[in-house]
Amino acid sequence: KAGVTQTPRYLIKTRGQQVTLSCSPISGHRSVSWYQQTPGQGLQFLFEYFSETQRNKGNFPGRFSGRQFSNSRSEMNVSTLELGDSALYLCASSLGAGGFLAKNIQYFGAGTRLSVL
Amino acid sequence: AQTVTQSQPEMSVQEAETVTLSCTYDTSESNYYLFWYKQPPSRQMILVIRQEAYKQQNATENRFSVNFQKAAKSFSLKISDSQLGDTAMYFCAFWETGNQFYFGTGTSLTVIP
């Protein structure tokens, strides 16, 4: 079974631009979560989608948005990029429903490294 | 709000030795779940071990075990017989039903040959 796929792996943008990151979860997984990883800050939760609905949202400005499609693939969008948005963005998928194991075993992608110049 | 604290940014251990990574958390809930994730230099994060708060017995997965102290809100990871492949960033994480995952800032572990 294929793992979580994130595209692109690397991205370079300039301030003020907009960017869209993509995540394809493991087949059968309905939950997709997004995280921002920066040195010293660890992983900061952005949002979680389950069956095309946002289920949880972290403490990020409205410039960060996401969506999930009917096939569970998810996209994350960042508008009006700032230098501080430079980070590794990780996507994780899980079954998302059912018992403890189904809800909580998250499988991570390799991430998208975003550099804002 | 829940917080997860890893007070050791970097650690090193000799190959075949034992090392313990610390993690503390803060919550007012009584039922929750704790995890240790490993992120090798290739960046793919993988689950190492998990613990359910209502279970008193410490979780064990081969060379990895935890010391879960619920009253102290402490959740440390012990790696026995350290191997070169254990070199990675280790993240402690917290989750409760209906909520999001909270991760610590990570501990960078280097296994020295």
Side-chain angles (χ1 to χ4, degrees), chain B residues 46-92:
Chain B
I46 56 174
L47 178 66
V48 174
I49 198 166
R50 60 185 182 267
Q51 172 83 40
E52 299 168 49
Y54 62 85
K55 288 188 176 179
Q56 293 187 341
Q57 186 174 7
N58 290 323
T60 299
E61 289 286 343
N62 301 313
R63 298 183 295 107
F64 299 88
S65 62
V66 299
N67 183 7
F68 175 47
Q69 302 288 328
K70 191 172 185 178
K73 297 181 182 175
S74 171
F75 182 61
S76 60
L77 173 70
K78 185 173 83 171
I79 305 175
S80 304
D81 185 26
S82 296
Q83 300 175 0
L84 296 179
D86 295 333
T87 292
M89 280 289 287
Y90 288 82
F91 291 95
C92 177

Side-chain angles (χ1 to χ4, degrees), chain B residues 8 12 17 20-21 31 33 42 45 67 89-90 92 95 106-107 112:
Chain B
Q8 306 152 311
S12 61
E17 297 294 307
T20 299
L21 279 57
N31 193 24
Y33 307 92
S42 64
M45 189 102 67
N67 183 7
M89 280 289 287
Y90 288 82
C92 177
W95 184 89
T107 295
I112 303 167

Side-chain angles (χ1 to χ4, degrees), chain A:
Chain A
K1 192 182 264 191
V4 178
T5 304
Q6 290 189 246
T7 56
R9 291 292 305 276
Y10 302 93
L11 210 48
I12 299 175
K13 293 286 186 179
T14 56
R15 279 182 300 172
Q17 286 189 309
Q18 171 182 293
V19 67
T20 299
L21 282 54
S22 178
C23 173
S24 294
I26 291 172
S27 177
H29 285 194
R30 295 162 63 190
S31 170
V32 173
S33 297
W34 287 90
Y35 298 88
Q36 181 193 67
Q37 184 179 5
T38 54
Q41 292 293 316
L43 275 74
Q44 303 290 313
F45 173 77
L46 282 154
F47 25 67
E48 179 200 3
Y49 287 88
F50 176 76
S51 293
E52 302 180 67
T53 301
Q54 189 178 85
R55 190 154 70 172
N56 281 300
K57 187 177 190 302
N59 189 26
F60 275 81
R63 300 186 296 107
F64 292 82
S65 63
R67 59 178 175 169
Q68 187 178 35
F69 302 95
S70 59
N71 62 357
S72 294
R73 190 178 71 84
S74 177
E75 287 182 348
M76 190 193 91
N77 185 276
V78 187
S79 62
T80 318
L81 283 167
E82 301 177 359
L83 295 179
D85 297 334
S86 294
L88 179 66
Y89 290 88
L90 294 171
C91 164
S93 78
S94 66
L95 285 170
F100 162 58
L101 288 181
K103 285 180 179 176
N104 291 294
I105 303 300
Q106 290 199 325
Y107 297 85
F108 284 81
T112 295
R113 171 75 63 186
L114 172 65
S115 298
V116 182
L117 306 179

